[in-house]
Amino acid sequence: IFGGQHCDDTCNLPLVVFVHGGVYSRSRYWMYRLVARHLQRAGFAVALVGYRLYPTVGVPDMVDDIKKALDWLREHGESCGVDGSCVGLVGHSSGGHLCTLAVLAGIGPCVNCVATLGTAFDVGRHYCYEQSRGVNHISPLFPANGGRDCFDLLSPTQIIKSLGDCTGLLPPFFVGHGGADKTVPQEQSEFFVHALTSAGVCAR
């Protein structure tokens, strides 16, 4: 945790919870300390959250790890010098996928806003893209998400479409994506934002 710990004057700082990417199988939370320092300088407290990785677990267990981390921060945030009731959830790449699934699984009312960066929100569509690039056989996407039978169940774009009107049920989303991204096409974010706004969720 960066920012509030041991600092009396930062006890009421809003908290940014950052969840790393890494195709569900690589990277670690501590590799993003520079991101945390930058957000800290901008006036936030920051918690870098880790989670179990594939092949130890699949995506549903990773989402559960993030939900447990958020529960812990809400319960113990004050003792760490942060406001666990004012939370912005930020996820990069596959971390954005996990954050969004966590919100859709019921933690939405406990999160004030969500930001994602370069995230694939439709697993089936992204798997087809990986096949077109010839990388599907080395990517953990298919097994980490439980195979084709689970793709729609773990695809936020498809989940939102199935929910109908979500006005007031989900926090606002900022969905960031680089137009030159060749690993995850920008259309993934465009389709997701369209699904969100069509369901009455504030998103840009």
Side-chain angles (χ1 to χ4, degrees), residues 2-204:
F2 294 76
Q5 199 166 20
H6 309 309
C7 298
D8 293 339
D9 60 342
T10 58
C11 286
N12 294 319
L13 281 181
L15 175 64
V16 173
V17 178
F18 184 90
V19 180
H20 68 82
V23 204
Y24 314 105
S25 62
R26 294 189 292 274
S27 193
R28 296 292 188 276
Y29 69 92
W30 51 264
M31 297 171 66
Y32 292 81
R33 286 175 292 186
L34 291 179
V35 174
R37 292 296 188 194
H38 179 77
L39 290 168
Q40 184 184 30
R41 288 194 294 270
F44 298 96
V46 185
L48 300 178
V49 171
Y51 51 91
R52 291 171 292 170
L53 302 174
Y54 177 82
T56 303
V57 299
V59 164
D61 287 322
M62 299 177 199
V63 173
D64 191 54
D65 287 349
I66 292 167
K67 291 166 62 179
K68 288 177 179 175
L70 288 166
D71 287 342
W72 189 92
L73 287 164
R74 281 193 294 271
E75 183 176 351
H76 300 283
E78 186 175 352
S79 65
C80 299
V82 300
D83 185 354
S85 68
C86 185
V87 177
L89 189 56
V90 180
H92 172 241
S93 192
S94 56
H97 179 215
L98 301 176
C99 287
T100 305
L101 287 174
V103 169
L104 293 174
I107 67 164
C110 301
V111 174
N112 298 80
C113 59
V114 182
T116 64
L117 308 167
T119 293
F121 297 99
D122 188 317
V123 180
R125 179 182 290 271
H126 192 56
Y127 182 66
C128 290
Y129 178 71
E130 287 192 342
Q131 287 179 307
S132 73
R133 296 175 61 218
V135 299
N136 57 295
H137 62 290
I138 60 173
S139 168
L141 178 79
F142 186 98
N145 282 278
R148 293 183 187 275
D149 290 345
C150 298
F151 281 178
D152 281 355
L153 298 175
L154 296 175
S155 294
T157 301
Q158 302 303 325
I159 295 171
I160 290 291
K161 288 179 179 179
S162 70
L163 292 177
D165 186 5
C166 297
T167 304
L169 299 178
L170 296 175
F173 276 76
F174 172 80
V175 183
H177 213 119
D181 190 343
K182 302 301 182 184
T183 303
V184 179
Q186 185 178 347
E187 67 178 20
Q188 282 277 347
S189 290
E190 293 171 345
F191 289 140
F192 182 57
V193 168
H194 181 264
L196 286 170
T197 55
S198 296
V201 180
C202 179
R204 56 176 297 181

